[in-house]
Amino acid sequence: MAGSGRRPEHRGPPELFYDEAEARKYTQNSRVVEIQSQMSERAVELLGLPEDRACLLLDVGCGSGLSGDYISEEGHYWIGMDISPAMLDVAVEREVEGDLLLADVGHGIPFRPGMFDGCISISAVQWLCNADKKSHSPPKRLYRFFSTLYTALARGSRAVLQLYPENSEQLELITAQAMRAGFTGGMVVDYPNSAKAKKFFLCLFVGTSGTLPKGLGTECANEEPQQAKFTNERTRFRNVKGKSVKKSRDWILEKKERRRRQGKEVRADTKYTGRKRRPRF
């Protein structure tokens, strides 16, 4: 169920579509990486996580770990689930910081109750609306997913699922099964008047009815300036929070320290750590 930064153009199940070559091609596409990063940032923002502690998040349809990269940069821990072995192989090669699980979320979320502080999913949940096998019943698979997700999330937490519904019926099916499983919440639509920038985020609350966040670009007819304003505000906010610039020496040292705390093998820090190499001729 590999998450995708673009609208899915294929009809087959993701575990068949994303073979090794396609998984690599996808992960190396700079446009896909950029869109995935933007949607991950927006999804994590909609989670409304506390700023004073690190949280454990579930990434449904984690693919090659592009969304997980953003979660790690924000100082949180994560576990990713995906149905595509090829995508998870690429995630392992990329040495992502999260833990990975090969699984079909239509069979349920196999974690203990209240384990996660939040859940995100980028372009994956709509796959559950497909009946790829004779035994598949989309309403049953969706209910199984949402009911076990509800159990795995801590009370008061949120799940934010970005998706590409094919039509209004599919949207209603997904939302109905989420509500049946006990969630409250609803759909946050960013840039509703833009064919290109329009994004659907199903924002779900566990145990308490929160106020549904407002979609971006809902007050302004001109979409592009609104998008730019959002990006600039986020950058300024992150600088105020004291986050290190990506790929800088401090950023690399922080990443290595996080991996050490997770018990992973990390090369020792030296004076060369984070130093830019001279271009080869």
Side-chain angles (χ1 to χ4, degrees):
M1 191 152 321
S4 168
R6 63 192 175 197
R7 186 180 295 275
E9 295 166 355
H10 45 281
R11 298 289 300 171
E15 69 271 28
L16 298 180
F17 180 79
Y18 290 111
D19 59 14
E20 190 177 341
E22 187 66 27
R24 287 180 193 284
K25 189 170 125 188
Y26 172 90
T27 308
Q28 290 166 359
N29 184 317
S30 59
R31 177 67 182 146
V32 167
V33 172
E34 181 190 354
I35 294 171
Q36 184 91 4
S37 179
Q38 288 173 357
M39 292 196 293
S40 303
E41 182 173 351
R42 177 64 170 148
V44 172
E45 179 189 35
L46 289 170
L47 283 179
L49 298 172
E51 291 186 20
D52 57 347
R53 64 181 177 88
C55 296
L56 176 63
L57 304 182
L58 176 64
D59 184 0
V60 170
C62 65
S64 57
L66 297 176
S67 298
D69 289 344
Y70 179 76
I71 294 171
S72 296
E73 283 171 29
E74 289 295 291
H76 301 299
Y77 302 99
W78 59 280
I79 295 174
M81 294 178 68
D82 205 281
I83 198 172
S84 168
M87 277 294 200
L88 293 178
D89 285 346
V90 174
V92 171
E93 285 176 20
R94 293 179 64 244
E95 297 185 336
V96 297
E97 293 182 27
D99 292 317
L100 304 168
L101 176 65
L102 177 65
D104 177 359
V105 297
H107 293 161
I109 304 297
F111 294 101
R112 62 181 171 78
M115 179 169 169
F116 295 99
D117 301 303
C119 167
I120 69 163
S121 178
I122 307 299
S123 315
V125 174
Q126 72 271 353
W127 288 109
L128 291 173
C129 295
N130 295 351
D132 297 317
K133 297 177 182 175
K134 281 186 179 179
S135 59
H136 283 182
S137 163
K140 285 181 181 176
R141 283 168 59 76
L142 281 163
Y143 178 70
R144 178 73 181 157
F145 164 65
F146 282 120
S147 59
T148 51
L149 175 62
Y150 188 92
T151 302
L153 288 168
R155 189 173 176 82
S157 64
R158 297 181 187 180
V160 176
L161 316 173
Q162 185 275 327
L163 47 94
Y164 288 113
E166 281 190 6
N167 48 48
S168 59
E169 289 80 12
Q170 201 176 82
L171 206 55
E172 285 170 21
L173 173 63
I174 292 169
T175 307
Q177 296 307 317
M179 301 304 157
R180 186 182 159 214
F183 285 106
T184 55
M187 196 65 69
V188 175
V189 184
D190 285 353
Y191 310 108
N193 302 317
S194 168
K196 258 191 176 182
K198 189 175 185 179
K199 293 289 182 294
F200 292 89
F201 293 88
L202 184 58
C203 192
L204 302 172
F205 305 104
V206 181
T208 53
S209 295
T211 305
L212 203 62
K214 205 166 190 180
L216 299 176
T218 53
E219 296 173 350
C220 182
N222 190 345
E223 303 299 337
E224 279 303 313
Q226 187 76 17
Q227 176 69 44
K229 186 182 175 191
F230 169 66
T231 306
N232 290 339
E233 283 176 357
R234 288 291 298 165
T235 305
R236 190 162 67 246
F237 184 58
R238 284 168 69 180
N239 288 342
V240 168
K241 281 166 73 178
K243 294 285 167 72
S244 302
V245 178
K246 191 170 183 179
K247 303 295 183 186
S248 66
R249 177 178 166 82
D250 287 342
W251 181 85
I252 291 169
L253 290 172
E254 286 168 12
K255 184 172 181 177
K256 289 172 79 173
E257 185 55 39
R258 284 199 303 271
R259 291 175 74 86
R260 287 192 189 102
R261 287 200 300 268
Q262 292 169 6
K264 296 180 179 178
E265 254 185 62
V266 182
R267 287 184 184 176
D269 299 334
T270 70
K271 65 180 181 179
Y272 300 107
T273 301
R275 182 181 288 187
K276 287 188 177 177
R277 297 184 182 183
R278 291 178 182 175
R280 289 184 180 179
F281 294 98

